[in-house]
Amino acid sequence: MHVTLRQLRVLLAVAETGSFSAAARAVGLSQPAVSQSIRAVEQALGVSLLQRSTRHVVLTQAGEQLVAPLRDALRALEDVLTKTQQAGERLKRVVQLAATPSLSGSLLPRCLADVSQQLPGVAVQLKEQAQEAALESVRQGTVDFALAVGDSGPCELQRTSLFKDRFVLVCRGDHPFARRDRVSIGHLGLERLIVLDAANGGRQGLDRVLLAHGVSVDVLQEVASASTAFEMVKERLGVALLPASCVPTFSMKQVRSVGLEPDVLRDVSLFSRRHETLSADARAVHDIILARAQGGTRGVSRPLTVLVPFPKRGPVDSYGRAFAKLLGARLGKEVVVTNTVGLGGAQGVHAVTRSRADGYTIGIAGNGATLFTPANGRQPLFDVFQDLTFLSGLVRVASVLVVGAHTAARDLAQMRALARLHPGRFVIGAAGTGSSRMLAEMLERQTGIKLTHKSYDGLAPALDDLAKGKLDMVFGEPVGVLALVRAGKAFALLTTGDERCSLLSDVPSAVEVGLPDLATDGGYCLVAPPSLPASVLERLSGAIAEVLQSDELNQTFASLGVRPDFRSGPYYENFVRAEQSRWQAFLERD
């Protein structure tokens, strides 16, 4: 028996849509290819799985027995594959870098800042190691390359010279040397000298020059870091001979750096494995460090990053990717989407607050992060009004109350009657910290029922439990609940607010079932870091407004059962202030 995973997915699509043509559109195949796939599965199993008619397709008894567990099995497999893919993506986008201490604390932070700006999807893991250990890490393959000192290295390593690092003398401002522009090395014989230890690189060359000028190296005071040397100089414990790259470029109190005569140099280089090609990300980081060290910041062109605070292939991810595609076309530059998931959507927004305010990072924020966490009195990760710049609304979303097919309720009246008969027996899910949680509390208050609440980190895991009969009901976004409703594993009872949803046009609105106040202004907005320059804010806001008004985005959003939100940044900020107060009063009400 040979049945492929693709054939099983086609069978599931036919079962859920009840149509060969609709299934063909869903899986991206032609209708004849769908028919052929179904026949192949039936022949392999030796049973008929579908009853076909001119108007629709239904499962046979054997088909029901196969499809019921198949849906959960494929979903579980999809979760495993997605987690594996995400783990692989994270590993692929990590660059391992070793560096000697004197370089990791001076040159490297500026280089890593360039990497963060130009390659926002790449993480650099730094190993601070002694000179010889850093080169050995490259040779052993535990790092991609190393930033170290030396004009040579093991024969199996490729060296790329960055720059010549001059040694300077560091003394107190009241020391006699402080009045000179340069100090002869021969005049250092009577000084107490402080130098960096060999782990920092370049000591052999320095010692050779000192010995050549009659300065003993047996009485040198060795330290591991330049900061220790500075403090010792301040306390009149000697003068220090340090690489110029370790000396701050800003004014230092009490100490001064002076040139040496003759020059003493150390060669700062990048070392990689000679016969191995660096990955694309490692090569990009390598080149950015090279550019910074040679006096520039050229490198990879920076994309604009949109941070989505929920998982891939979820509703919010769909909104974000549709918007990002059109924003990139409008700005004429690359726009990438990064999913930063956790804390019910707050972790992604937190990442926005910690980004550079230069217009290259924006994010999507939901009601959970902007409204309900502050309104609940919980200590937030950030101050919505101090730590964010509101750019615009993005999308307005109604919520649909669905119940699992394992319950006996098929409309709101039946659900209310059953819940009143069995207080606390029915479990309602709270997907994240946003509208779903608040609507659950509002439903209880407005219908006079008692439910048991269960928290989830998003809608997808809540719907998984709903389909398995482990959860009785949940409020979810239309595009999220649609598949379960069409498959008969859930029933939609109402749509919040006063309008029906285009994707579920036969489901009544909350107003129609007598709950006019069962609504939140659900949706998502676009935010940026605080203190965004006015010129950048104006450019971004204009581009966002044009994208939201485009026919293409409106059509895409309509297919997902949502509408664009045209509210400007300042308007949306005022809306958030008013809603926080309203919901805080609601939660404090007895």
Side-chain angles (χ1 to χ4, degrees):
M1 179 175 64
H2 179 68
V3 178
T4 68
L5 182 60
R6 185 176 188 179
Q7 290 169 341
L8 292 176
R9 284 176 169 154
V10 170
L11 172 62
L12 185 60
V14 173
E16 291 184 341
T17 61
S19 164
F20 279 81
S21 59
R25 290 192 296 271
V27 298
L29 295 175
S30 66
Q31 188 169 332
V34 170
S35 299
Q36 183 179 359
S37 180
I38 297 298
R39 283 196 299 272
V41 176
E42 290 179 327
Q43 290 172 4
L45 298 179
V47 295
S48 176
L49 300 173
L50 299 171
Q51 290 181 352
R52 302 162 177 83
S53 71
T54 57
R55 302 192 64 180
H56 61 277
V57 178
V58 296
L59 292 168
T60 64
Q61 184 176 359
E64 289 281 3
Q65 292 175 348
L66 173 61
V67 167
L70 177 62
R71 184 178 290 108
D72 291 337
L74 287 180
R75 184 178 291 112
L77 177 60
E78 185 73 23
D79 289 343
V80 171
L81 294 176
T82 298
K83 290 177 181 178
T84 302
Q85 180 188 39
Q86 291 174 344
E89 289 175 350
R90 288 193 294 270
L91 289 174
K92 284 191 296 184
R93 306 226 71 188
V94 173
V95 175
Q96 304 280 354
L97 168 63
T100 60
S102 64
L103 295 172
S104 63
S106 55
L107 168 68
L108 201 53
R110 297 192 297 273
C111 296
L112 295 183
D114 292 340
V115 172
S116 177
Q117 292 178 33
Q118 298 181 34
L119 302 171
V122 176
V124 178
Q125 289 188 349
L126 172 64
K127 291 185 176 181
E128 192 174 65
Q129 296 179 312
Q131 170 80 10
E132 295 304 320
L135 296 179
E136 181 64 15
S137 292
V138 179
R139 195 179 70 81
Q140 294 290 341
T142 57
V143 299
D144 294 293
F145 58 91
L147 179 63
V149 176
D151 54 9
S152 63
C155 61
E156 61 266 45
L157 299 187
Q158 175 72 41
R159 185 181 71 87
T160 302
S161 179
L162 296 183
F163 62 94
K164 301 291 185 180
D165 196 7
R166 284 182 169 80
F167 279 84
V168 296
L169 181 138
V170 178
C171 60
R172 281 181 57 92
D174 55 5
H175 191 284
F177 286 159
R179 295 190 293 272
R180 304 186 188 182
D181 292 328
R182 297 177 72 83
V183 173
S184 172
I185 292 178
H187 294 168
L188 300 178
L190 299 179
E191 300 294 330
R192 291 172 294 180
L193 298 181
I194 304 164
V195 296
L196 295 178
D197 60 23
N200 287 276
R203 269 294 303 281
Q204 290 182 352
L206 176 63
D207 287 356
R208 283 196 300 267
V209 174
L210 291 175
L211 288 171
H213 287 79
V215 179
S216 174
V217 297
D218 295 330
V219 293
L220 300 180
Q221 175 67 58
E222 290 188 347
V223 295
S225 69
S227 60
T228 302
F230 289 133
E231 293 303 317
M232 293 180 71
V233 169
K234 290 179 183 179
E235 297 300 328
R236 303 179 187 275
L237 298 176
V239 295
L241 298 178
L242 300 174
S245 63
C246 296
V247 178
T249 56
F250 52 85
S251 176
M252 296 182 294
K253 293 182 178 180
Q254 295 185 289
V255 299
R256 182 174 173 228
S257 64
V258 181
L260 293 173
E261 181 67 45
D263 284 335
V264 183
L265 306 174
R266 66 174 189 169
D267 196 298
V268 178
S269 302
L270 290 172
F271 292 87
S272 58
R273 291 179 289 281
R274 184 177 297 277
H275 300 297
E276 293 185 24
T277 303
L278 292 173
S279 69
D281 287 334
R283 171 55 61 185
V285 173
H286 180 285
D287 291 348
I288 288 172
I289 295 175
L290 178 61
R292 165 60 73 175
Q294 295 179 346
T297 57
R298 66 185 184 277
V300 180
S301 176
R302 286 183 66 190
L304 188 151
T305 299
V306 177
L307 295 179
V308 175
F310 293 99
K312 289 183 177 179
R313 288 184 285 278
V316 184
D317 184 63
S318 298
Y319 311 148
R321 291 183 187 276
F323 167 78
K325 176 184 176 182
L326 296 177
L327 182 64
R330 170 64 184 79
L331 294 174
K333 67 182 304 176
E334 182 185 8
V335 176
V336 298
V337 173
T338 299
N339 298 81
T340 305
V341 183
L343 304 177
Q347 188 168 330
V349 184
H350 176 266
V352 175
T353 69
R354 300 307 192 260
S355 301
R356 189 184 296 267
D358 55 9
Y360 283 92
T361 303
I362 65 175
I364 297 176
N367 285 350
T370 59
L371 294 181
F372 299 132
T373 296
N376 266 306
R378 294 191 290 267
Q379 184 66 37
L381 291 170
F382 47 84
D383 186 308
V384 172
F385 305 113
Q386 297 296 322
D387 299 334
L388 289 171
T389 298
F390 286 89
L391 297 174
S392 170
L394 175 63
V395 60
R396 280 183 152 159
V397 186
S399 292
V400 180
L401 175 62
V402 292
V403 296
H406 62 279
T407 70
R410 296 296 178 264
D411 58 37
L412 181 67
Q414 292 177 358
M415 185 277 291
R416 182 187 297 185
L418 289 169
R420 284 178 174 172
L421 186 62
H422 305 286
R425 175 184 294 185
F426 289 93
V427 181
I428 187 167
T433 60
S435 300
S436 176
R437 181 181 301 275
M438 288 299 182
L439 287 168
E441 294 191 25
M442 293 174 68
L443 179 67
E444 285 185 301
R445 297 190 187 190
Q446 295 182 27
T447 58
I449 61 176
K450 175 64 176 176
L451 303 171
T452 297
H453 295 250
K454 185 176 181 180
S455 297
Y456 293 87
D457 199 34
L459 182 59
L463 292 176
D464 283 345
D465 277 0
L466 190 79
K468 296 173 184 176
K470 297 179 180 179
L471 181 69
D472 298 314
M473 65 188 78
V474 68
F475 282 96
E477 297 173 25
V479 69
V481 304
L482 187 61
L484 284 185
V485 173
R486 286 180 173 173
K489 303 205 79 171
F491 291 90
L493 304 188
L494 62 86
T495 300
T496 58
D498 57 0
E499 295 181 2
R500 294 193 177 199
C501 173
S502 60
L503 295 182
L504 296 164
S505 57
D506 58 338
V507 178
S509 68
V511 171
E512 292 177 85
V513 297
L515 299 175
D517 295 327
L518 186 62
T520 62
D521 195 341
Y524 302 88
C525 65
L526 295 166
V527 294
S531 304
L532 200 64
S535 59
V536 175
L537 177 59
E538 182 179 0
R539 176 176 57 85
L540 273 178
S541 299
I544 290 168
E546 290 188 18
V547 171
L548 291 176
Q549 292 167 9
S550 68
D551 292 339
E552 185 173 351
L553 188 71
N554 276 261
Q555 291 169 5
T556 300
F557 277 7
S559 70
L560 299 173
V562 297
R563 297 175 290 141
D565 188 340
F566 301 110
R567 286 175 287 188
S568 68
Y571 190 100
Y572 206 98
E573 180 176 345
N574 289 333
F575 157 75
V576 170
R577 290 183 186 277
E579 287 293 284
Q580 279 191 12
S581 299
R582 183 168 78 90
W583 286 108
Q584 185 173 4
F586 171 82
L587 292 169
E588 291 174 351
R589 196 180 309 154
D590 291 333

